[in-house]
Amino acid sequence: MSWELILWLLAFAAVLSLIGLSLYQLITLSDLESDYINLFDSSTRINAVVLPEFTLQALLSAAFLLTGYWFSFLISLPVTCYHLRLYLSRTHLVDVTEIFQLLHWQKKYRIIKLAFYVTSFVIVIYSLVLTAVTLVMDDQDVNFIHSGTL
């Protein structure tokens, strides 16, 4: 198996996980808005998945950079830089006392990130399929040449 295929399979799993984490945060905020959970529970649930999301996004960007996939790296770079800015300014966690006041902004922020992750998912799926088809086609050409039927 080619290293490119392994990279795209790992990127597929990473982006799928990022979509899941983003959906989890949106569902938690919707539950808070509907009064199904209290402020403390919602902020605890969201804060528990923020750092794993930031780490996974940074690792995905680093993998694209180290393997030379510049287009994918440049697409994921703004979100990674924004996550880094939030982390360094210590505003990445949701505050219990302010979550209800910022609920509309928090939902909008998570929806925009979800749209970005879905767009990234489409790009990763395309690249994964393209890499797999290219590997299969190259393998068939090699088998055809070695069979001596030229």
Side-chain angles (χ1 to χ4, degrees):
M1 193 180 322
S2 172
W3 65 270
E4 288 179 276
L5 187 60
I6 293 171
L7 169 74
W8 291 116
L9 286 171
L10 291 174
F12 173 79
V15 173
L16 204 58
S17 299
L18 289 169
I19 289 173
L21 290 172
S22 187
L23 281 173
Y24 177 75
Q25 293 173 22
L26 271 171
I27 290 170
T28 302
L29 289 172
S30 295
D31 286 349
L32 175 64
E33 188 176 38
S34 300
D35 241 4
Y36 293 130
I37 58 175
N38 62 26
L39 299 170
F40 181 75
D41 288 339
S42 64
S43 62
T44 303
R45 290 179 185 179
I46 290 173
N47 289 341
V49 297
V50 166
L51 282 180
E53 177 190 3
F54 286 12
T55 305
L56 192 57
Q57 175 66 33
L59 289 174
L60 187 63
S61 293
F64 288 145
L65 175 65
L66 294 175
T67 55
Y69 287 100
W70 304 110
F71 179 73
S72 299
F73 171 69
L74 290 175
I75 287 176
S76 66
L77 184 63
V79 174
T80 305
C81 289
Y82 185 69
H83 286 168
L84 182 65
R85 187 177 72 90
L86 286 177
Y87 183 76
L88 293 176
S89 66
R90 299 202 181 273
T91 57
H92 61 287
L93 298 177
V94 176
D95 189 17
V96 177
T97 58
E98 296 177 356
I99 190 170
F100 205 71
Q101 296 170 353
L102 301 174
L103 184 64
H104 180 69
W105 181 85
Q106 289 285 337
K107 282 180 71 174
K108 189 183 297 186
Y109 165 66
R110 297 307 191 282
I111 288 172
I112 290 170
K113 277 199 329 187
L114 180 63
F116 169 77
Y117 291 145
V118 168
T119 304
S120 296
F121 184 71
V122 169
I123 293 169
V124 166
I125 287 287
Y126 175 76
S127 299
L128 178 65
V129 169
L130 184 66
T131 302
V133 167
T134 303
L135 284 174
V136 168
M137 296 302 282
D138 287 344
D139 198 31
Q140 286 179 354
D141 289 343
V142 168
N143 290 337
F144 182 72
I145 291 171
H146 287 301
S147 67
T149 54
L150 267 178

